[in-house]
Amino acid sequence: MRTGASMTYELDQIEMREAYAGTLIEIAQKNSEVIALEADLMSAISTNKFKAACPDQFVNCGIMEANMVGVAAGLSLTGKIPYLHTFASFATRRAFDQLFISGAYAKLNIKILGSDAGVTSEHNGGTHMPFEDIGLVRIIPGATVIEVSDAAMLASMLRQVEQIYGIHYIRTIRKKAVKIYDEHTDFEIGKGKVLREGNDVTLIASGIMVAEALQTADILAKEGIGAAVIDMFTIKPIDRDLIIKYAARTGAIVTIENHNCINGLGSAVAEVLAEHAPTRLKRIGIDEQFGRVGTTDYLKEYYGLTKEHIARKTKELLGNR
Amino acid sequence: MGERRNYLEKFAGEIRLKVLKMLNHRGFGHYGGSLSIVEAIAVLYGEVLKIDPANPDWPERDYFILSKGHGGPALYAALALKGYFSPEILYTLNDNNTTLPSHPDRNLTKGVDMTTGSLGQGISAAVGVALSHKLSKRGNYTYTLVGDGELNEGQCWEAVQFAAHHKLHRLVVFIDDNKKQLDGFTKDICDPIDFQEKFNAFGFYALKVNGASVQEILSAIEEGKQQMEKPVAIILDSVKGQGVRYLEEKTDNHHIRPSKEDQQAIDAAIHELELTLREGII
């Protein structure tokens, strides 16, 4: 882990999709019960490499997400460990009842990778832009919801969920993320990662917004505001103790997510605060809007997800002291 | 065949009797679609399935997934008669805190292979089980039973395409073609036209049998097992309320809360069935 002002915010060496395919090959080669499923997005997530390496453990289901989730359930019934991928919108919005009933209610073991998180679906636009996937899976009893912030974390999560029975939803972008962790970082599902200390405010972020939060802390530091930064990569179960601790320490919390403010990271944090540690809170995310077409940079600006917007909203919160 | 047929017909009679008694006890339920699948369930649990009631989770077993989950009572009756649990439990159907909800739950009931009831989903899970057997080069069979109304669901046709593409020849899909769904006749709601043609066109080996004939169902399964390339569809030409004349003739027989008149007719059917079973007529 690299923390502090020296951080340079460079992109990872590898794309998230390469990390997915590469790590899954490694997992599958050790465990013949692991099966990778795709719904005609093999080329988009680089699992053509997986298919070449482990042809007997790969199934391209075609464009049938609902059936893919059901097939995964059937595979799990017989002891296999299915990892399925599709764009996050299709893994959750489209196949929600299948995930809910055939997956979770039936208490089966399915690992889901939802890709093209939020604004990073860029030129696929509003139809493909998942701002509600976290919320949909979060409301499923027993499901675990993870949003990864870089390739090292993605690899760690993929390896860890192989060992834990149940429904795991991992949200990711497909291309290069800002590198935050080195390959040997330990991550514990359910525990947030404190990346920077500060006493004036705590920025809690996930996914691509972690790098943005760190840069926001740089801006705030120049103005004499000490911002703690937490990578809350497990959105469910949320790290309640860490939230309470930093609420007490800083007295103000800002959540930052590339997702609808409703039922995402901000809601999860708000629920903890409201019940256990009422604290001034600002939720930054997508507010009552659908997706639209554009580059990630344009969309971050459009939806108010840049470090400048976050710094301004943080100061507004602190100004209301 | 004669002795086997007698046994299966008797087993079907016992299942039917249990279904009527458990629904009677509850006071309401899915009579129509539970009764229409009795013979198919009897053939599966009476003869075909490789199972061990003493060891419901036996990994080497064949799987049966009742995709039309509202037929649960027929499955429960068969499971109880096979010894998965005490027949007394049948009378807890839909009670508070029961292990027998109207729609099957694999985590509550011994012998239930998959949680079903959200229509269209069980067939996909069955396809997943069949795929798993194929990937692991296991020779086990997977059976599933879908309703004719259930085939309104698009997901079923995803599953059908997938099964045909992967040549899951040890998958047998029963279609309960009882020609009715909750709101009326299937031909009036979304005309299925011809299931046999459809399934053949989708790459299955499709057969049509009299859904009330254990012999025809058994023969169809045996014929299907000769297939080495295609998954098998067995269309059960059945009647909603099958085996109880009064219920067969009742127009609205999907979910019944019996009136006084209904109750008298059902009680008479139970009495008649008990007599025929006792006297060994079937």
Side-chain angles (χ1 to χ4, degrees), chain B residues 15-78:
Chain B
I15 293 172
R16 177 163 287 114
L17 182 61
K18 291 287 187 208
V19 168
L20 289 170
K21 282 186 162 180
M22 65 199 289
L23 293 175
N24 220 10
H25 182 80
R26 179 75 272 154
F28 57 85
H30 292 110
Y31 283 84
S34 295
L35 292 169
S36 61
I37 61 173
V38 162
E39 276 72 15
I41 296 281
V43 171
L44 285 171
Y45 283 88
E47 165 117 13
V48 171
L49 289 175
K50 185 175 81 168
I51 45 173
D52 178 5
N55 184 10
D57 299 327
W58 182 35
E60 294 302 310
R61 73 190 185 277
D62 290 339
Y63 279 70
F64 172 65
I65 294 177
L66 181 63
S67 196
K68 50 164 281 185
H70 54 284
L75 173 60
Y76 298 154

Side-chain angles (χ1 to χ4, degrees), chain A residues 1 6 11 24 33 59 66 84 95 101-102 142-143 149 165 177 196 234 242 261 271 282 286 294 308:
Chain A
M1 179 173 46
S6 64
L11 292 177
L24 211 51
E33 298 296 292
V59 182
L84 65 86
I101 299 292
S102 292
S149 42
Y165 190 92
R196 184 171 306 195
T234 311
L242 193 66
C261 286
E271 287 159 18
K282 175 65 188 170
I286 310 298
E308 293 82 8

Side-chain angles (χ1 to χ4, degrees), chain A residues 51-211:
Chain A
K51 186 185 179 186
C54 312
D56 299 335
Q57 289 165 265
F58 181 80
V59 182
N60 194 332
C61 296
I63 309 163
M64 40 173 88
E65 295 80 11
N67 182 59
M68 177 167 71
V69 174
V71 166
L75 290 170
S76 167
L77 276 178
T78 47
K80 300 215 177 287
I81 305 176
Y83 280 71
L84 65 86
H85 162 261
T86 181
F87 289 155
S89 314
F90 309 144
T92 59
R93 286 205 303 256
R94 189 181 192 94
F96 183 70
D97 193 48
Q98 286 74 18
L99 204 52
F100 194 96
I101 299 292
S102 292
Y105 182 58
K107 289 198 171 63
L108 292 171
N109 186 29
I110 305 176
K111 318 305 171 190
I112 305 116
L113 188 81
S115 70
D116 269 13
V119 295
T120 70
S121 64
E122 294 196 314
H123 296 114
N124 278 327
T127 55
H128 288 51
M129 203 159 280
F131 289 155
E132 55 297 302
D133 53 320
I134 288 173
L136 286 166
V137 187
R138 196 166 89 88
I139 207 163
I140 300 176
T144 298
V145 181
I146 292 162
E147 179 167 33
V148 292
S149 42
D150 76 356
M153 183 189 277
L154 174 58
S156 171
M157 291 300 112
L158 292 169
R159 291 185 194 113
Q160 288 192 42
V161 298
E162 184 208 356
Q163 306 296 326
I164 313 168
Y165 190 92
I167 303 292
H168 290 87
Y169 177 67
I170 302 175
R171 184 189 212 227
T172 188
I173 67 171
R174 278 191 295 143
K175 298 179 184 170
K176 287 183 176 176
V178 172
K179 184 173 173 63
I180 297 180
Y181 303 102
D182 72 42
E183 282 62 37
H184 308 292
T185 310
D186 288 327
F187 301 100
E188 189 180 341
I189 292 174
K191 297 287 177 199
K193 213 72 179 153
V194 179
L195 297 181
R196 184 171 306 195
E197 293 293 359
N199 293 321
D200 298 320
V201 63
T202 306
L203 308 179
I204 302 179
S206 62
I208 60 168
M209 300 317 292
V210 172

